[in-house]
Amino acid sequence: MTTLWSGLSDGALYTLVGVGYNVVLLASGVFNFANAQLIMLGTYLAYFAAVTLKLPLVPTILIGALAVSLVAVVEERVAIRPLMGRRDSHATLITSVGVAVALDGIVLRIWGSQPLTVPAPLSSKPLNLLGGTIEPTALLLIVLVVVLGLGLHVLSKKTIVGLASLASAEDREAAMARGVNVRMLAIGAFALAGLIAGAFGVVVGSGTYANPGLGDNLALFGFVAIAIGGSGSQIGSLIGGFATGIIYAEVSRYTNADWPQIVVFALFLLILLTRPRGLFGGAVERQV
């Protein structure tokens, strides 16, 4: 059971990245590859606020959330908006990769290459739960990610803003013709994704450290999570992320270090070949 808890803990990280991808994708149709780097930046800001400034937990979370949200808004205005509406659908993906590389470089320049310890918001004493052990902060991460994913799923399906975001993602010009402010939706989605990434900086950083390589690792597995679950589906992100973490943990338990990634990406390729839109991705076309 300890292995399962470990897989769920790692899967929560992958789900968090996938959820951030989908927040932006649903509202703007843009795949923001830099979302994982925003989470990494959140861990460093958590270290800065908690260790350097010695602030309590709540101000630390607020600083991370607001600062990363601002960075995400700047990314949208500078690297994404000028390319929106062009026929080259890969242009914004390339610029978001450029933003990810830039954030990696900024972090290395400011904080260096050594991992930094982020204080845990809860006790580090492991809990015995359902026959296995898990740290309280890891359990908190799992619970928060599940609540976040379910909440965003309801938001996207049951609210006017969520439905407008879906309309904008599927057909930007048609949404504009119906009076939807697609620019505000896009910038709001980037701001929300940044807010989430920054707010989770304390919880994520206490388990992974503030590590300059964190963004690249999370980006890769977060992409696997939404590819398995289905891009645009927050429920799919939850299931794909947790499934990825559990599979990786279980394979690691019984094999050497080379096999977990091989098995995960073999499953990833199988899903792409048999279900290109993922397990929970729907058809793009809708009857009108």
Side-chain angles (χ1 to χ4, degrees), residues 137-152:
T137 303
L139 181 61
L140 176 64
L141 175 63
I142 294 170
V143 172
L144 290 177
V145 167
V146 171
V147 171
L148 175 67
L150 293 177
L152 290 174

Side-chain angles (χ1 to χ4, degrees), residues 27-28 73 76-77 80-85 164-165 168-169 172 175-176 179-191:
S28 65
V73 169
E76 193 275 339
R77 294 299 301 271
I80 304 299
R81 183 174 296 188
L83 301 176
M84 292 290 287
S165 297
S168 175
R172 183 180 174 88
M176 291 175 64
V180 176
N181 191 334
V182 296
R183 289 188 175 183
M184 287 302 297
L185 281 176
I187 198 169
F190 272 86

